[in-house]
Amino acid sequence: DTGVSQNPRHKITKRGQNVTFRCDPISEHNRLYWYRQTLGQGPEFLTYFQNEAQLEKSRLLSDRFSAERPKGSFSTLEIQRTEQGDSAMYLCASSLTGNEQYFGPGTRLTVT
Amino acid sequence: GESVGLHLPTLSVQEGDNSIINCAYSNSASDYFIWYKQESGKGPQFIIDIRSNMDKRQGQRVTVLLNKTVKHLSLQIAATQPGDSAVYFCAEKSMGDDKIIFGKGTRLHILP
């Protein structure tokens, strides 16, 4: 499968714990995006990388959130001190041109 | 119609009929528009896109229409099949901006 992959697919954690998600983009895509989707809503942009550089961050991305793409390939999204409001689907997308963005299956986070 | 909170607008269509899903976008500066299909538990799947210098684009069984005057986008699905059941999102993007802004989704329900 040469699409975008994300791990884990599901994560249940207790409030206050840290979690880390991984995204592997389509191999030749230099652009990588993180979005968050809550129930019944469309995805909302969180942050964007071009190669290893993080070029844009949404105001939704509080200081408890950090994303990296150290070698310009896979990316990680870490949430520290999770809160119940962090419960959502975290989606990763990749793109070659910046226009057509292809999404992974997402990581569903549940904070109890 | 508009969705409020967690309530998605729903469109019910008889199998074999054509479906038309409508969307109003907000940003006059947007110059690239995309329709995504999202099945339960999956990430959004790219269906078709259109640039602002066009008013119609056709794909396999799908057609996107763009009316920039009234900032309206529509997706037409011909001969709707059970596999078309999903939530459909319109999305917009402006030149020089890398994030996609998603609209409110519409749940397409296929009647047997």
Side-chain angles (χ1 to χ4, degrees):
Chain A
D1 187 347
T2 57
V4 178
S5 62
Q6 293 187 245
N7 288 288
R9 295 292 311 278
H10 303 274
K11 179 70 177 178
I12 300 173
T13 192
K14 292 184 178 179
R15 190 177 53 189
Q17 298 294 304
N18 299 343
V19 294
T20 300
F21 311 140
R22 176 178 170 129
C23 170
D24 287 89
I26 294 171
S27 60
E28 64 269 24
H29 287 184
N30 61 345
R31 291 170 163 88
L32 186 149
Y33 310 80
W34 285 98
Y35 291 81
R36 180 171 69 187
Q37 185 176 27
T38 54
L39 192 63
Q41 304 295 316
E44 296 174 291
F45 171 81
L46 291 179
T47 191
Y48 152 64
F49 290 85
Q50 186 163 336
N51 300 311
E52 65 275 9
Q54 188 173 17
L55 297 185
E56 187 173 354
K57 291 196 287 187
S58 163
R59 276 173 282 182
L60 291 175
L61 212 66
S62 77
D63 56 6
R64 296 183 299 104
F65 287 68
S66 62
E68 294 183 343
R69 194 182 184 199
K71 298 181 181 177
S73 57
F74 74 91
S75 176
T76 57
L77 177 68
E78 181 183 16
I79 309 174
Q80 296 183 324
R81 305 181 303 281
T82 51
E83 302 172 356
Q84 287 188 319
D86 297 331
S87 294
M89 175 80 88
Y90 289 85
L91 293 160
C92 176
S94 72
S95 176
L96 190 58
T97 64
N99 283 339
E100 292 185 25
Q101 295 185 17
Y102 295 91
F103 284 79
T107 295
R108 180 166 296 285
L109 173 66
T110 303
V111 182
T112 61
Chain B
E2 290 292 318
S3 65
V4 178
L6 302 180
H7 183 68
L8 283 174
T10 300
L11 175 66
S12 295
V13 175
Q14 205 77 36
E15 182 179 349
D17 287 353
N18 297 337
S19 303
I20 300 176
I21 301 171
N22 295 303
C23 173
Y25 64 92
S26 55
N27 187 356
S28 301
S30 293
D31 59 359
Y32 177 70
F33 304 89
I34 319 104
W35 280 98
Y36 282 92
K37 171 187 180 183
Q38 188 172 27
E39 296 173 282
S40 182
K42 297 184 178 180
Q45 176 190 354
F46 177 95
I47 303 174
I48 191 168
D49 59 0
I50 188 168
R51 296 182 188 277
S52 59
N53 60 352
M54 303 171 69
D55 52 21
K56 180 179 180 179
R57 189 162 187 231
Q58 287 185 291
Q60 187 177 11
R61 276 203 313 121
V62 293
T63 301
V64 55
L65 298 178
L66 174 63
N67 185 331
K68 295 182 289 294
T69 304
V70 294
K71 292 192 284 187
H72 184 267
L73 196 65
S74 69
L75 177 71
Q76 300 177 3
I77 305 173
T80 311
Q81 302 169 358
D84 295 328
S85 288
V87 177
Y88 289 81
F89 290 98
C90 65
E92 60 185 298
K93 183 179 173 296
S94 54
M95 188 178 294
D97 193 359
D98 285 279
K99 62 181 175 288
I100 286 176
I101 307 297
F102 283 79
K104 300 181 192 296
T106 297
R107 183 178 300 281
L108 180 62
H109 180 58
I110 312 304
L111 301 170

